[in-house]
Amino acid sequence: MKNLLLVFAITFSSILTAQEPIQVTNNDQPVHAGYVVVVTADRNLPKVQEQYDIFENGRKFFAERNIQPYLVTPESVQSFFKENNDRLMKFGDYKKLQQADTDFLVIVLDKKYNTKYRSENPITPLEIAEVMK
């Protein structure tokens, strides 16, 4: 009996911890390729870490839609998912992207680098899907 109880406890605990939040998108309209650019003065800010977690948890969402997230700091432009950036990004100068009163800015760009959305708060895959339709 103890063994059976132990098996149930292990099974249910692994099921509960293995579940990830599902981001539901409306499949009636396709989500177009583009970029999500996080502009920050400091990569260690809590908002940057929160956005990184959103990107990491939504890795499949971004890959399926060819949406590439990048981090722009005063020192570099870095892809969230790739070690080496394979092309020159046309995101412009950090100071031009940064707004005057914020240390954190999310910019959603279409594949032609046109700005579709700006936010001073982290953005979810569902919000990105709505912007990129």
Side-chain angles (χ1 to χ4, degrees), residues 29-36 61-62 65-68 107-117 123 125-133:
Q29 296 179 350
V31 178
H32 301 289
Y35 306 93
V36 179
F61 169 87
F62 293 104
R65 291 157 180 85
N66 196 20
I67 297 174
Q68 301 171 22
I107 305 170
V108 178
L109 305 168
D110 63 15
K111 63 183 176 182
K112 295 181 181 177
Y113 302 102
N114 298 316
T115 301
K116 304 286 281 178
Y117 179 83
I123 188 169
L126 183 59
E127 292 169 323
I128 293 167
E130 289 297 317
V131 170
M132 297 302 285
K133 287 186 179 177

mmCIF file of all heavy atoms in Angstrom, residues 29-36 61-62 65-68 107-117 123 125-133:
data_model
loop_
_atom_site.group_PDB
_atom_site.id
_atom_site.type_symbol
_atom_site.label_atom_id
_atom_site.label_comp_id
_atom_site.label_asym_id
_atom_site.label_seq_id
_atom_site.Cartn_x
_atom_site.Cartn_y
_atom_site.Cartn_z
ATOM 1 N N GLN A 29 -6.116 33.991 -38.555
ATOM 2 C CA GLN A 29 -5.204 34.864 -39.275
ATOM 3 C C GLN A 29 -3.770 34.472 -38.941
ATOM 4 O O GLN A 29 -3.451 34.242 -37.777
ATOM 5 C CB GLN A 29 -5.422 36.328 -38.877
ATOM 6 C CG GLN A 29 -6.786 36.857 -39.252
ATOM 7 C CD GLN A 29 -6.958 38.297 -38.816
ATOM 8 O OE1 GLN A 29 -6.143 38.842 -38.087
ATOM 9 N NE2 GLN A 29 -8.022 38.919 -39.268
ATOM 10 N N PRO A 30 -2.912 34.405 -39.941
ATOM 11 C CA PRO A 30 -1.521 34.028 -39.655
ATOM 12 C C PRO A 30 -0.783 35.140 -38.925
ATOM 13 O O PRO A 30 -1.091 36.317 -39.074
ATOM 14 C CB PRO A 30 -0.929 33.808 -41.046
ATOM 15 C CG PRO A 30 -1.766 34.663 -41.948
ATOM 16 C CD PRO A 30 -3.153 34.656 -41.356
ATOM 17 N N VAL A 31 0.185 34.735 -38.133
ATOM 18 C CA VAL A 31 1.065 35.677 -37.455
ATOM 19 C C VAL A 31 2.307 35.809 -38.323
ATOM 20 O O VAL A 31 2.957 34.824 -38.639
ATOM 21 C CB VAL A 31 1.444 35.177 -36.043
ATOM 22 C CG1 VAL A 31 2.397 36.135 -35.381
ATOM 23 C CG2 VAL A 31 0.187 35.007 -35.198
ATOM 24 N N HIS A 32 2.614 37.010 -38.737
ATOM 25 C CA HIS A 32 3.711 37.238 -39.669
ATOM 26 C C HIS A 32 5.059 37.272 -38.970
ATOM 27 O O HIS A 32 5.149 37.566 -37.784
ATOM 28 C CB HIS A 32 3.481 38.546 -40.428
ATOM 29 C CG HIS A 32 2.192 38.546 -41.191
ATOM 30 N ND1 HIS A 32 1.997 37.797 -42.315
ATOM 31 C CD2 HIS A 32 1.033 39.192 -40.970
ATOM 32 C CE1 HIS A 32 0.773 37.980 -42.775
ATOM 33 N NE2 HIS A 32 0.156 38.830 -41.963
ATOM 34 N N ALA A 33 6.103 36.988 -39.719
ATOM 35 C CA ALA A 33 7.470 37.013 -39.195
ATOM 36 C C ALA A 33 7.838 38.425 -38.766
ATOM 37 O O ALA A 33 7.307 39.410 -39.275
ATOM 38 C CB ALA A 33 8.443 36.511 -40.257
ATOM 39 N N GLY A 34 8.782 38.500 -37.837
ATOM 40 C CA GLY A 34 9.236 39.799 -37.392
ATOM 41 C C GLY A 34 10.241 39.691 -36.267
ATOM 42 O O GLY A 34 10.885 38.655 -36.088
ATOM 43 N N TYR A 35 10.365 40.765 -35.510
ATOM 44 C CA TYR A 35 11.361 40.859 -34.444
ATOM 45 C C TYR A 35 10.718 41.442 -33.196
ATOM 46 O O TYR A 35 9.850 42.303 -33.281
ATOM 47 C CB TYR A 35 12.526 41.762 -34.863
ATOM 48 C CG TYR A 35 13.156 41.347 -36.156
ATOM 49 C CD1 TYR A 35 12.727 41.896 -37.356
ATOM 50 C CD2 TYR A 35 14.157 40.388 -36.185
ATOM 51 C CE1 TYR A 35 13.296 41.502 -38.552
ATOM 52 C CE2 TYR A 35 14.725 39.988 -37.374
ATOM 53 C CZ TYR A 35 14.298 40.548 -38.557
ATOM 54 O OH TYR A 35 14.850 40.146 -39.742
ATOM 55 N N VAL A 36 11.174 40.981 -32.046
ATOM 56 C CA VAL A 36 10.837 41.595 -30.769
ATOM 57 C C VAL A 36 12.160 42.045 -30.174
ATOM 58 O O VAL A 36 13.046 41.231 -29.915
ATOM 59 C CB VAL A 36 10.125 40.607 -29.824
ATOM 60 C CG1 VAL A 36 9.818 41.296 -28.503
ATOM 61 C CG2 VAL A 36 8.862 40.067 -30.459
ATOM 62 N N PHE A 61 6.629 28.877 -29.903
ATOM 63 C CA PHE A 61 5.792 29.901 -30.523
ATOM 64 C C PHE A 61 6.613 30.775 -31.469
ATOM 65 O O PHE A 61 6.229 31.020 -32.608
ATOM 66 C CB PHE A 61 5.154 30.771 -29.432
ATOM 67 C CG PHE A 61 4.475 32.015 -29.939
ATOM 68 C CD1 PHE A 61 3.154 31.969 -30.339
ATOM 69 C CD2 PHE A 61 5.156 33.216 -30.009
ATOM 70 C CE1 PHE A 61 2.529 33.116 -30.807
ATOM 71 C CE2 PHE A 61 4.539 34.362 -30.471
ATOM 72 C CZ PHE A 61 3.217 34.308 -30.878
ATOM 73 N N PHE A 62 7.766 31.240 -31.002
ATOM 74 C CA PHE A 62 8.604 32.119 -31.813
ATOM 75 C C PHE A 62 9.199 31.382 -33.011
ATOM 76 O O PHE A 62 9.262 31.926 -34.107
ATOM 77 C CB PHE A 62 9.709 32.742 -30.955
ATOM 78 C CG PHE A 62 9.171 33.684 -29.919
ATOM 79 C CD1 PHE A 62 9.086 33.311 -28.588
ATOM 80 C CD2 PHE A 62 8.715 34.941 -30.272
ATOM 81 C CE1 PHE A 62 8.569 34.170 -27.636
ATOM 82 C CE2 PHE A 62 8.194 35.807 -29.325
ATOM 83 C CZ PHE A 62 8.118 35.419 -28.004
ATOM 84 N N ARG A 65 6.687 30.808 -35.920
ATOM 85 C CA ARG A 65 6.243 32.013 -36.609
ATOM 86 C C ARG A 65 7.391 32.863 -37.141
ATOM 87 O O ARG A 65 7.173 33.926 -37.683
ATOM 88 C CB ARG A 65 5.371 32.831 -35.663
ATOM 89 C CG ARG A 65 4.056 32.135 -35.388
ATOM 90 C CD ARG A 65 3.427 32.591 -34.107
ATOM 91 N NE ARG A 65 2.175 31.905 -33.860
ATOM 92 C CZ ARG A 65 2.083 30.716 -33.260
ATOM 93 N NH1 ARG A 65 3.148 30.107 -32.839
ATOM 94 N NH2 ARG A 65 0.912 30.162 -33.071
ATOM 95 N N ASN A 66 8.613 32.386 -36.964
ATOM 96 C CA ASN A 66 9.804 33.102 -37.397
ATOM 97 C C ASN A 66 9.850 34.518 -36.808
ATOM 98 O O ASN A 66 10.125 35.489 -37.497
ATOM 99 C CB ASN A 66 9.914 33.145 -38.924
ATOM 100 C CG ASN A 66 11.314 33.536 -39.364
ATOM 101 O OD1 ASN A 66 12.275 33.428 -38.609
ATOM 102 N ND2 ASN A 66 11.428 34.012 -40.586
ATOM 103 N N ILE A 67 9.551 34.604 -35.521
ATOM 104 C CA ILE A 67 9.674 35.861 -34.784
ATOM 105 C C ILE A 67 10.940 35.749 -33.951
ATOM 106 O O ILE A 67 11.085 34.835 -33.151
ATOM 107 C CB ILE A 67 8.447 36.111 -33.887
ATOM 108 C CG1 ILE A 67 7.195 36.254 -34.752
ATOM 109 C CG2 ILE A 67 8.666 37.341 -33.026
ATOM 110 C CD1 ILE A 67 5.913 36.357 -33.964
ATOM 111 N N GLN A 68 11.865 36.656 -34.172
ATOM 112 C CA GLN A 68 13.169 36.571 -33.529
ATOM 113 C C GLN A 68 13.305 37.634 -32.445
ATOM 114 O O GLN A 68 13.245 38.823 -32.733
ATOM 115 C CB GLN A 68 14.257 36.741 -34.575
ATOM 116 C CG GLN A 68 14.184 35.687 -35.656
ATOM 117 C CD GLN A 68 15.126 35.975 -36.804
ATOM 118 O OE1 GLN A 68 16.101 36.691 -36.643
ATOM 119 N NE2 GLN A 68 14.825 35.416 -37.951
ATOM 120 N N ILE A 107 10.065 46.638 -28.235
ATOM 121 C CA ILE A 107 9.631 47.130 -29.536
ATOM 122 C C ILE A 107 9.360 45.918 -30.417
ATOM 123 O O ILE A 107 10.205 45.033 -30.533
ATOM 124 C CB ILE A 107 10.708 48.023 -30.188
ATOM 125 C CG1 ILE A 107 11.102 49.160 -29.258
ATOM 126 C CG2 ILE A 107 10.217 48.555 -31.535
ATOM 127 C CD1 ILE A 107 12.305 49.945 -29.710
ATOM 128 N N VAL A 108 8.181 45.870 -31.030
ATOM 129 C CA VAL A 108 7.847 44.802 -31.974
ATOM 130 C C VAL A 108 7.959 45.390 -33.372
ATOM 131 O O VAL A 108 7.358 46.415 -33.679
ATOM 132 C CB VAL A 108 6.430 44.254 -31.723
ATOM 133 C CG1 VAL A 108 6.087 43.177 -32.738
ATOM 134 C CG2 VAL A 108 6.309 43.712 -30.306
ATOM 135 N N LEU A 109 8.770 44.722 -34.208
ATOM 136 C CA LEU A 109 9.014 45.171 -35.580
ATOM 137 C C LEU A 109 8.541 44.114 -36.561
ATOM 138 O O LEU A 109 8.667 42.920 -36.287
ATOM 139 C CB LEU A 109 10.513 45.402 -35.798
ATOM 140 C CG LEU A 109 11.227 46.349 -34.840
ATOM 141 C CD1 LEU A 109 12.732 46.232 -35.010
ATOM 142 C CD2 LEU A 109 10.779 47.762 -35.087
ATOM 143 N N ASP A 110 8.040 44.549 -37.717
ATOM 144 C CA ASP A 110 7.716 43.569 -38.748
ATOM 145 C C ASP A 110 9.004 43.188 -39.480
ATOM 146 O O ASP A 110 10.088 43.678 -39.142
ATOM 147 C CB ASP A 110 6.632 44.088 -39.694
ATOM 148 C CG ASP A 110 7.043 45.322 -40.494
ATOM 149 O OD1 ASP A 110 8.259 45.646 -40.569
ATOM 150 O OD2 ASP A 110 6.152 45.972 -41.061
ATOM 151 N N LYS A 111 8.904 42.316 -40.478
ATOM 152 C CA LYS A 111 10.120 41.822 -41.137
ATOM 153 C C LYS A 111 10.836 42.895 -41.945
ATOM 154 O O LYS A 111 11.983 42.717 -42.320
ATOM 155 C CB LYS A 111 9.814 40.604 -41.989
ATOM 156 C CG LYS A 111 8.875 40.844 -43.129
ATOM 157 C CD LYS A 111 8.594 39.554 -43.847
ATOM 158 C CE LYS A 111 7.557 39.765 -44.938
ATOM 159 N NZ LYS A 111 7.236 38.516 -45.599
ATOM 160 N N LYS A 112 10.191 44.045 -42.172
ATOM 161 C CA LYS A 112 10.833 45.162 -42.878
ATOM 162 C C LYS A 112 11.336 46.219 -41.900
ATOM 163 O O LYS A 112 11.660 47.326 -42.290
ATOM 164 C CB LYS A 112 9.855 45.780 -43.875
ATOM 165 C CG LYS A 112 9.479 44.836 -44.989
ATOM 166 C CD LYS A 112 8.528 45.499 -45.945
ATOM 167 C CE LYS A 112 8.153 44.514 -47.041
ATOM 168 N NZ LYS A 112 7.176 45.085 -47.972
ATOM 169 N N TYR A 113 11.366 45.866 -40.617
ATOM 170 C CA TYR A 113 11.863 46.723 -39.536
ATOM 171 C C TYR A 113 10.977 47.929 -39.250
ATOM 172 O O TYR A 113 11.427 48.918 -38.692
ATOM 173 C CB TYR A 113 13.303 47.190 -39.804
ATOM 174 C CG TYR A 113 14.264 46.050 -39.982
ATOM 175 C CD1 TYR A 113 14.700 45.673 -41.255
ATOM 176 C CD2 TYR A 113 14.735 45.327 -38.903
ATOM 177 C CE1 TYR A 113 15.582 44.615 -41.425
ATOM 178 C CE2 TYR A 113 15.614 44.271 -39.069
ATOM 179 C CZ TYR A 113 16.027 43.928 -40.326
ATOM 180 O OH TYR A 113 16.895 42.881 -40.497
ATOM 181 N N ASN A 114 9.701 47.868 -39.615
ATOM 182 C CA ASN A 114 8.754 48.922 -39.267
ATOM 183 C C ASN A 114 8.233 48.668 -37.856
ATOM 184 O O ASN A 114 7.844 47.548 -37.529
ATOM 185 C CB ASN A 114 7.576 48.952 -40.251
ATOM 186 C CG ASN A 114 8.031 49.261 -41.658
ATOM 187 O OD1 ASN A 114 8.846 50.143 -41.877
ATOM 188 N ND2 ASN A 114 7.514 48.514 -42.609
ATOM 189 N N THR A 115 8.192 49.707 -37.033
ATOM 190 C CA THR A 115 7.724 49.569 -35.656
ATOM 191 C C THR A 115 6.218 49.348 -35.638
ATOM 192 O O THR A 115 5.460 50.134 -36.186
ATOM 193 C CB THR A 115 8.071 50.828 -34.839
ATOM 194 O OG1 THR A 115 9.485 51.014 -34.868
ATOM 195 C CG2 THR A 115 7.613 50.689 -33.400
ATOM 196 N N LYS A 116 5.796 48.254 -34.981
ATOM 197 C CA LYS A 116 4.387 47.911 -34.866
ATOM 198 C C LYS A 116 3.846 48.200 -33.468
ATOM 199 O O LYS A 116 2.658 48.398 -33.300
ATOM 200 C CB LYS A 116 4.174 46.426 -35.181
ATOM 201 C CG LYS A 116 4.688 45.968 -36.524
ATOM 202 C CD LYS A 116 3.845 46.432 -37.648
ATOM 203 C CE LYS A 116 2.629 45.562 -37.772
ATOM 204 N NZ LYS A 116 1.714 45.932 -38.807
ATOM 205 N N TYR A 117 4.742 48.188 -32.453
ATOM 206 C CA TYR A 117 4.283 48.283 -31.065
ATOM 207 C C TYR A 117 5.459 48.658 -30.175
ATOM 208 O O TYR A 117 6.580 48.219 -30.407
ATOM 209 C CB TYR A 117 3.720 46.914 -30.652
ATOM 210 C CG TYR A 117 3.211 46.810 -29.247
ATOM 211 C CD1 TYR A 117 1.928 47.239 -28.906
ATOM 212 C CD2 TYR A 117 3.993 46.244 -28.244
ATOM 213 C CE1 TYR A 117 1.455 47.108 -27.605
ATOM 214 C CE2 TYR A 117 3.520 46.113 -26.949
ATOM 215 C CZ TYR A 117 2.251 46.546 -26.643
ATOM 216 O OH TYR A 117 1.784 46.421 -25.368
ATOM 217 N N ILE A 123 6.146 41.776 -22.757
ATOM 218 C CA ILE A 123 5.083 41.428 -23.690
ATOM 219 C C ILE A 123 4.980 39.912 -23.820
ATOM 220 O O ILE A 123 5.995 39.226 -23.851
ATOM 221 C CB ILE A 123 5.320 42.105 -25.065
ATOM 222 C CG1 ILE A 123 4.133 41.907 -25.995
ATOM 223 C CG2 ILE A 123 6.615 41.647 -25.678
ATOM 224 C CD1 ILE A 123 4.210 42.764 -27.251
ATOM 225 N N PRO A 125 3.532 36.238 -25.660
ATOM 226 C CA PRO A 125 3.333 35.742 -27.027
ATOM 227 C C PRO A 125 1.949 36.065 -27.585
ATOM 228 O O PRO A 125 1.809 36.356 -28.768
ATOM 229 C CB PRO A 125 3.541 34.232 -26.893
ATOM 230 C CG PRO A 125 4.504 34.107 -25.763
ATOM 231 C CD PRO A 125 4.087 35.189 -24.797
ATOM 232 N N LEU A 126 0.914 36.058 -26.757
ATOM 233 C CA LEU A 126 -0.426 36.380 -27.223
ATOM 234 C C LEU A 126 -0.489 37.827 -27.704
ATOM 235 O O LEU A 126 -1.071 38.127 -28.750
ATOM 236 C CB LEU A 126 -1.439 36.129 -26.105
ATOM 237 C CG LEU A 126 -2.902 36.353 -26.462
ATOM 238 C CD1 LEU A 126 -3.320 35.445 -27.616
ATOM 239 C CD2 LEU A 126 -3.790 36.092 -25.260
ATOM 240 N N GLU A 127 0.120 38.736 -26.949
ATOM 241 C CA GLU A 127 0.156 40.137 -27.356
ATOM 242 C C GLU A 127 0.961 40.312 -28.639
ATOM 243 O O GLU A 127 0.573 41.092 -29.518
ATOM 244 C CB GLU A 127 0.744 40.993 -26.236
ATOM 245 C CG GLU A 127 -0.128 41.076 -25.003
ATOM 246 C CD GLU A 127 0.568 41.695 -23.809
ATOM 247 O OE1 GLU A 127 1.775 41.456 -23.616
ATOM 248 O OE2 GLU A 127 -0.121 42.415 -23.065
ATOM 249 N N ILE A 128 2.051 39.600 -28.764
ATOM 250 C CA ILE A 128 2.864 39.674 -29.975
ATOM 251 C C ILE A 128 2.075 39.172 -31.175
ATOM 252 O O ILE A 128 2.104 39.771 -32.254
ATOM 253 C CB ILE A 128 4.171 38.870 -29.808
ATOM 254 C CG1 ILE A 128 5.048 39.543 -28.750
ATOM 255 C CG2 ILE A 128 4.916 38.737 -31.129
ATOM 256 C CD1 ILE A 128 6.206 38.695 -28.275
ATOM 257 N N ALA A 129 1.331 38.080 -31.000
ATOM 258 C CA ALA A 129 0.512 37.540 -32.083
ATOM 259 C C ALA A 129 -0.531 38.552 -32.541
ATOM 260 O O ALA A 129 -0.770 38.700 -33.746
ATOM 261 C CB ALA A 129 -0.157 36.245 -31.641
ATOM 262 N N GLU A 130 -1.121 39.254 -31.604
ATOM 263 C CA GLU A 130 -2.127 40.272 -31.974
ATOM 264 C C GLU A 130 -1.490 41.408 -32.768
ATOM 265 O O GLU A 130 -2.061 41.891 -33.725
ATOM 266 C CB GLU A 130 -2.804 40.831 -30.715
ATOM 267 C CG GLU A 130 -3.732 39.852 -30.039
ATOM 268 C CD GLU A 130 -4.905 39.454 -30.921
ATOM 269 O OE1 GLU A 130 -5.502 40.339 -31.577
ATOM 270 O OE2 GLU A 130 -5.219 38.253 -30.957
ATOM 271 N N VAL A 131 -0.311 41.832 -32.362
ATOM 272 C CA VAL A 131 0.381 42.930 -33.040
ATOM 273 C C VAL A 131 0.848 42.524 -34.432
ATOM 274 O O VAL A 131 0.779 43.307 -35.377
ATOM 275 C CB VAL A 131 1.597 43.389 -32.197
ATOM 276 C CG1 VAL A 131 2.479 44.337 -32.967
ATOM 277 C CG2 VAL A 131 1.120 44.033 -30.908
ATOM 278 N N MET A 132 1.286 41.272 -34.585
ATOM 279 C CA MET A 132 1.897 40.825 -35.848
ATOM 280 C C MET A 132 0.891 40.306 -36.874
ATOM 281 O O MET A 132 1.283 39.828 -37.913
ATOM 282 C CB MET A 132 2.934 39.740 -35.559
ATOM 283 C CG MET A 132 4.102 40.207 -34.722
ATOM 284 S SD MET A 132 5.006 41.574 -35.442
ATOM 285 C CE MET A 132 5.884 40.728 -36.730
ATOM 286 N N LYS A 133 -0.388 40.410 -36.625
ATOM 287 C CA LYS A 133 -1.391 39.959 -37.604
ATOM 288 C C LYS A 133 -1.484 40.905 -38.754
ATOM 289 O O LYS A 133 -1.258 42.047 -38.689
ATOM 290 C CB LYS A 133 -2.753 39.787 -36.955
ATOM 291 C CG LYS A 133 -2.800 38.565 -36.085
ATOM 292 C CD LYS A 133 -4.165 38.334 -35.571
ATOM 293 C CE LYS A 133 -4.184 37.091 -34.718
ATOM 294 N NZ LYS A 133 -5.442 36.815 -34.122
#
